Amino acid sequence: MTAFLRSPLYELAIAIFLAILMALGASASASAAKIDDQFRSWLQNDLWPEAKAKGISKKTFDAAFDGIKPNLKLPDLVKPGEKATTPQKQHQAEFGSPGAYFAEKTIGAVTAGGRAREVANARTIAAIEKRYGVPGEVLLAIWGRETGFGAAKMPYDAFEVLGTKAFMSTKKDFFRTELLAALEIVERGLAPVGAMKSSWAGALGQPQFMPTSFLKHAVDFDGDGHVDIWNSTPDVLASIANYLVHYGWVRGRGWGFEVTVPETVSCSLEGPDQGKKISQWADMGIKRVSGKPFPASELKAEGFLLMPAGRSGPAFIATPNFYVLKEYNTSDLYALFIGHGADRIAHGDSNFAGSWGAVGGLYRSDIAALQRALEAKGYDVGSADGLPGFKTRRSIGKWQAKNGRAATCFPDAGLVAVLK
């Protein structure tokens, strides 16, 4: 055996193998170097003229991109000269029960951390509540969810991330706008280049603001003359409050109520475009799980049916403030997490009264196929993106009712098989 391993044929094979590896490495290095050169050319010939026209100085521009190269490890990139491709099949089962989003380990950390910081920052929070009308518990829940109250590190250079994505991502225009906004932040002296640390998506600081949101909503609440969403707790919390107020937070109203929905009320009535007075929902037999009546101040106000897992999970009557929370992150589950977390910070730990059913286990591509099938039948699912949003959920319920099935308003394997 030893003689065979040392044979000339074996050594030749090893040499060929090593040569191939070296060639591949050289090819990859050459490709990366070519992209680097294209990036520098793009910066100077494409981005700089627009930045200059928007009032960015050459000093700021050069400082922002000093030593910056495209980060080819970021997601959703398309190399120059190539076309974006969409995977034909997604193998990761992305959708278990929505209840997994509310794992006690996650929400418990947010609520316990929120309560501790509520005590430590009581005066600041009271002042923010007075000015903006947003409950402190909501601000704390967002802060905790976004960056673990600032514990999550921002490991990326914002100009590396935004520059890479503006040059070669699948959403070039979006990131170009954000990149120019980041340059404006530095140009206006709101933050130095070295402080511009971000997430892998280019979101800044403890509230995770994109640069355009920073320019619109970040505030100096501690009065030191600087807007610092990386290090100042008053600035972080007040900036989140200012953001929510901009998108219509209604002072004096909460986000919603967990309820029971009788079988006589169709789950297809869900959605922000099918609101009713809360008194009307109550007249239909919808009740709070606590057994308490809806507050008298809410009865004439508008509410919306929310069933994130259809009949296989808790149900809610949401207020317009719920949809303001969705402006922070477009997911129903995110907004519900924030609302529920805020309630727990304010009133103590308690889970939803309703339980999450054993639904899910589907591939995103399966849900997208289901959505396309419903679209072909004339249903409005929002978009065939593989995400079961409220338009998809209620379309499922309408199709089920029309075809003599019990309306569940949530995708399952049997439904996919029937409709695909």
Side-chain angles (χ1 to χ4, degrees):
M1 185 67 177
T2 302
F4 171 74
L5 290 177
R6 292 177 178 174
S7 70
L9 285 175
Y10 177 80
E11 292 181 358
L12 177 61
I14 291 295
I16 292 172
F17 178 70
L18 291 175
I20 291 172
L21 286 181
M22 291 176 64
L24 289 174
S27 176
S29 297
S31 176
K34 182 179 179 181
I35 291 174
D36 290 348
D37 291 342
Q38 291 172 318
F39 178 69
R40 302 310 302 185
S41 176
W42 171 79
L43 284 177
Q44 296 304 320
N45 300 322
D46 188 337
L47 187 66
W48 164 240
E50 183 175 1
K52 182 180 180 181
K54 290 181 176 293
I56 306 301
S57 67
K58 195 69 165 66
K59 178 181 178 182
T60 294
F61 191 88
D62 289 345
F65 296 106
D66 183 27
I68 295 294
K69 295 182 179 181
N71 184 342
L72 302 182
K73 294 181 180 180
L74 295 173
D76 303 319
L77 302 183
V78 181
K79 292 182 180 179
E82 296 183 1
K83 292 184 178 181
T85 58
T86 302
Q88 295 300 309
K89 180 73 174 178
Q90 290 179 306
H91 296 284
Q92 182 183 2
E94 298 188 13
F95 293 102
S97 168
Y101 199 90
F102 301 90
E104 186 59 32
K105 181 180 179 180
T106 304
I107 199 162
V110 168
T111 53
R115 282 194 293 270
R117 286 160 180 81
E118 188 173 39
V119 173
N121 299 282
R123 291 182 63 184
T124 295
I125 290 171
I128 292 172
E129 288 180 334
K130 183 177 180 180
R131 180 180 297 184
Y132 295 101
V134 181
E137 294 84 6
V138 170
L139 308 177
L140 290 162
I142 292 175
W143 186 24
R145 177 70 192 185
E146 291 297 327
T147 57
F149 308 102
K153 302 302 180 185
M154 295 294 106
Y156 293 94
D157 182 302
F159 291 104
E160 177 189 77
V161 172
L162 296 171
T164 300
K165 287 180 170 287
F167 174 59
M168 57 188 298
S169 83
T170 56
K171 297 180 180 178
K172 288 183 181 180
D173 292 344
F174 171 82
F175 285 105
R176 186 184 184 99
T177 298
E178 296 298 341
L179 178 56
L180 291 165
L183 289 166
E184 184 179 345
I185 289 170
V186 175
E187 183 67 32
R188 288 170 53 181
L190 299 174
V193 167
M196 294 288 282
K197 299 301 181 183
S198 76
S199 71
W200 62 267
L204 304 173
Q206 295 185 38
Q208 286 292 272
F209 280 177
M210 295 302 290
T212 53
S213 290
F214 180 102
L215 291 172
K216 293 176 184 176
H217 310 302
V219 294
D220 170 25
F221 200 78
D222 61 15
D224 68 352
H226 301 282
V227 178
D228 187 356
I229 62 171
W230 290 269
N231 304 293
S232 168
T233 294
D235 289 6
V236 168
L237 293 175
S239 296
I240 295 171
N242 191 40
Y243 183 102
L244 296 177
V245 168
H246 173 85
Y247 283 103
W249 185 272
V250 181
R251 183 187 289 260
R253 296 194 76 184
W255 68 271
F257 309 89
E258 188 180 356
V259 298
T260 57
V261 180
E263 293 295 332
T264 54
V265 177
S266 172
C267 52
S268 65
L269 292 176
E270 183 184 5
D273 53 351
Q274 298 192 103
K276 300 179 186 293
K277 290 181 180 179
I278 290 181
S279 61
Q280 292 176 296
W281 291 117
D283 290 342
M284 295 167 69
I286 291 177
K287 298 178 180 179
R288 293 178 66 184
V289 296
S290 65
K292 298 178 182 179
F294 291 104
S297 61
E298 289 284 329
L299 291 175
K300 293 183 179 180
E302 191 172 32
F304 311 91
L305 183 61
L306 172 70
M307 301 180 74
R311 288 283 179 185
S312 298
F316 308 87
I317 292 296
T319 75
N321 285 341
F322 176 85
Y323 295 99
V324 174
L325 294 176
K326 282 192 67 174
E327 293 290 345
Y328 215 97
N329 181 313
T330 58
S331 164
D332 283 337
L333 296 181
Y334 175 90
L336 185 57
F337 183 102
I338 299 304
H340 183 50
D343 286 349
R344 287 179 52 154
I345 292 170
H347 306 300
D349 292 340
S350 61
N351 292 323
F352 295 122
S355 60
W356 299 95
V359 293
L362 296 173
Y363 298 124
R364 187 165 167 177
S365 53
D366 289 332
I367 296 175
L370 172 67
Q371 290 168 322
R372 288 191 293 271
L374 287 169
E375 281 182 330
K377 297 178 183 298
Y379 292 91
D380 177 11
V381 299
S383 64
D385 57 2
L387 300 171
F390 76 89
K391 287 186 176 181
T392 294
R393 296 194 296 266
R394 70 189 187 192
S395 292
I396 288 171
K398 289 177 181 178
W399 181 88
Q400 288 170 322
K402 184 177 180 181
N403 288 274
R405 296 167 175 256
T408 65
C409 295
F410 204 75
D412 59 58
L415 196 61
V416 169
V418 170
L419 279 170
K420 277 179 69 173

